[in-house]
Amino acid sequence: MSERAAPFYCPYCGDEDLRPSESVEGGHGAWECGACNRAFQLKFLGLLARGLQHRETGGDEI
């Protein structure tokens, strides 16, 4: 079984001082940011039935 992915930066302040948290309700996927003192939780919701669809953006090609 493989390890779960960890976030690289805080979604609120962008800092990288993150550590796992067990104090947040639910516990699984919870992280604390040492820089902004916020706690957040990550959760995988599932796969999209339609999959990834590429669309033309209408921009200039390089």
Side-chain angles (χ1 to χ4, degrees), residues 5-61:
F8 292 110
Y9 56 88
C10 173
Y12 297 100
C13 72
D15 201 87
E16 298 177 0
D17 184 15
L18 300 176
R19 51 190 160 268
S21 172
E22 294 296 328
S23 62
V24 176
E25 185 178 325
H28 256 46
W31 294 87
E32 296 175 356
C33 177
C36 68
N37 204 33
R38 287 186 169 107
F40 59 93
Q41 189 171 17
L42 301 176
K43 182 178 180 182
F44 177 70
L45 299 177
L47 298 173
L48 300 175
R50 65 182 182 278
L52 180 63
Q53 298 177 359
H54 296 282
R55 296 183 184 184
E56 292 291 324
T57 59
D60 296 331
E61 288 190 32

